[in-house]
Amino acid sequence: MVGVAQLVERWLVEPDVAGSSPVVHPNLNSHVGEVWVVDSMASTATVAQPDVDRREQLVADVPWVTIVWNDPVNLQSYVAYIFRTYFGFSRAEAERRMLLVHNEGRAVVASGAREQMERHVEAMHDFGLWATLTRSDS
Amino acid sequence: MGDSDEERFVIPFMADGGAVTCRFTTGESAVLADLAQQLIDLLSERAPDAAGSVLYAQLGIGGESSGPLDPALARLLPDAYRGDVEAASEHRQLTEQSLVERKMANARAVIASLDTAILERTEVRLEPTEVQSWLRTLTDLRLALAARLQIEDDGDNGIGDDEALMVYDWLGYLQGSLIEVIE
């Protein structure tokens, strides 16, 4: 079986490679020419994302935000630790956003593409923080 | 919590090279392993097998479409969207089962660390990935206990079940100590 990476490379050079069929991602078609390269030999479709950064940047035209909500359980030090290590905030910024959650009841911790915010929310639920995502204009 | 002669607050976590160590009494270790197992049992209600289809679970579909009614489970597996039932339901169907599986795996890792320490008659020794499991499981246990105690506000003692509250505070102490040593 051809390795996925090789398959993508070959398709990019020569679209008519036998055994592969490019499928344009329906949701992203209007934004970028991302392709799904399906390896017909494999039992499952393999997704190739040749330019993930570019895709995220373009989809980010519709802004979404990740919000962390206050809860009476989680330790302040734990929340600050997550903000610093997961989102990459400095100690001071992580502390500031943690205090926003504590004092205001909520804080925005990230903004960008919807899919990316969904991943952040899932990661926060993994940590046990109460997080949601929403459109930034709502 | 354990025999009276060993009833004490645990000696906090300590750094040891890249790892973290903690010495638990037999009683403390047993309580923690029991709680972690209870967490696994609680979560198993929402695990892929319980939903009936392993195949769907592997495909990332077929998960529950609405949140758990049990307040403890509801807090462990919250909606990703507020005020948008449809989006929350769709997201839950796609992600809840893998979230449940990760939470169960973390709790199993905690039990494994405790078992290893008992078997080798040593302190509990956590490598960085195990520290992450411990942080998450200690949190999940406190979230579940807080839901049972009906703790709703900061500084709230809930329904005042002294024993459960003591365990809850002990877990918080453990977690605070763990964070302090890795920060």
Side-chain angles (χ1 to χ4, degrees), chain B residues 2 10 14 28 37 43 48-49 62 64 67-68 93 97 126-127 131 135 138 141 149 151-152 156 168 176 180:
Chain B
V10 69
M14 286 182 288
E28 288 165 340
Q37 186 56 52
L43 286 164
D49 281 342
E64 301 274 355
Q93 278 180 282
Q97 293 194 339
L126 308 178
E127 299 299 330
V131 167
L135 283 176
L138 289 173
L141 286 174
L149 285 163
I151 292 172
E152 281 162 10
D156 181 357
Y168 176 75
E180 204 173 303

Side-chain angles (χ1 to χ4, degrees), chain B residues 152-166:
Chain B
E152 281 162 10
D153 301 304
D154 290 346
D156 181 357
N157 279 345
I159 54 173
D161 177 330
D162 286 346
E163 200 177 329
L165 202 57
M166 190 170 78

Side-chain angles (χ1 to χ4, degrees), chain A:
Chain A
M1 197 189 304
V2 183
V4 174
Q6 290 165 296
L7 199 63
V8 173
E9 213 171 294
R10 282 165 60 201
W11 183 80
L12 288 173
V13 177
E14 189 188 350
D16 289 323
V17 169
S20 69
S21 65
V23 181
V24 177
H25 192 304
N27 296 328
L28 296 169
N29 188 21
S30 57
H31 296 285
V32 285
E34 187 193 31
V35 293
W36 283 21
V37 177
V38 180
D39 179 357
S40 61
M41 300 290 285
S43 56
T44 54
T46 311
V47 182
Q49 299 181 331
D51 195 348
V52 174
D53 288 344
R54 182 161 166 259
R55 183 190 66 161
E56 290 193 347
Q57 188 194 330
L58 288 164
V59 177
D61 290 344
V62 183
W64 288 72
V65 290
T66 298
I67 298 168
V68 170
W69 301 84
N70 191 35
D71 71 61
V73 177
N74 278 306
L75 305 179
Q76 293 188 15
S77 59
Y78 181 55
V79 176
Y81 166 80
I82 293 166
F83 287 0
R84 186 173 67 78
T85 57
Y86 178 81
F87 291 109
F89 292 129
S90 66
R91 270 180 201 280
E93 185 59 19
E95 191 79 7
R96 191 183 75 80
R97 299 214 190 200
M98 176 279 289
L99 286 172
L100 265 179
V101 173
H102 184 66
N103 296 323
E104 309 295 327
R106 52 175 270 178
V108 170
V109 289
S111 64
R114 182 176 183 174
E115 292 77 7
Q116 195 187 357
M117 297 306 105
E118 286 191 332
R119 283 198 296 279
H120 288 332
V121 165
E122 211 182 335
M124 292 303 102
H125 292 175
D126 231 37
F127 279 111
L129 297 200
W130 180 23
T132 58
L133 71 151
T134 188
R135 288 182 74 106
S136 60
D137 56 0
S138 66

